[in-house]
């Protein structure tokens, strides 16, 4: 095969992506919103300004979101 992933790898990657999207969807709305904006390339300062929050509130919500995702993502990767 030229340049593309092998079918099994593509299927596995798609399954992991779907699992991650489900986990993000389960976050509280504010955490989900901040994760989405940061993932889209916005800085924490830009997110704070856009949402009318302090930079420390954005950092705190981002920390909580990452913490909430850390356990489930690691478990998903291990196939548990």
């Amino acid at each position: 095969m030229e340049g593309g992933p092998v079918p099994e790898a593509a299927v596995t990657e798609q399954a992991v992506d779907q699992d991650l999207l489900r986990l993000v969807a389960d976050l509280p709305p504010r955490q989900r919103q901040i994760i989405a904006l940061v993932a889209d390339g916005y800085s924490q300062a830009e997110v704070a300004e856009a949402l009318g929050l302090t930079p420390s509130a954005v950092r705190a919500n981002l920390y909580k979101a990452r913490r909430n995702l850390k356990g489930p993502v690691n478990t998903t990767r291990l196939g548990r």
Side-chain angles (χ1 to χ4, degrees):
M1 276 192 151
E2 280 187 22
V6 295
E8 296 84 12
V11 170
T12 301
E13 185 176 327
Q14 184 179 10
V16 170
D17 289 348
Q18 290 174 351
D19 288 343
L20 184 56
L21 287 174
R22 272 189 233 106
L23 292 170
V24 170
D26 287 342
L27 289 173
R30 179 64 78 186
Q31 291 176 18
R32 189 172 55 245
Q33 185 178 38
I34 290 172
I35 282 280
L37 289 169
V38 170
D40 282 343
Y42 291 94
S43 71
Q44 292 180 19
E46 291 170 325
V47 172
E49 186 175 335
L51 299 180
L53 301 172
T54 64
S56 62
V58 170
R59 281 191 301 276
N61 276 283
L62 193 55
Y63 169 81
K64 290 174 186 176
R66 288 175 174 156
R67 186 188 64 209
N68 287 337
L69 291 172
K70 186 177 180 180
V73 168
N74 288 339
T75 300
T76 300
R77 285 185 181 162
L78 295 174
R80 293 183 185 157

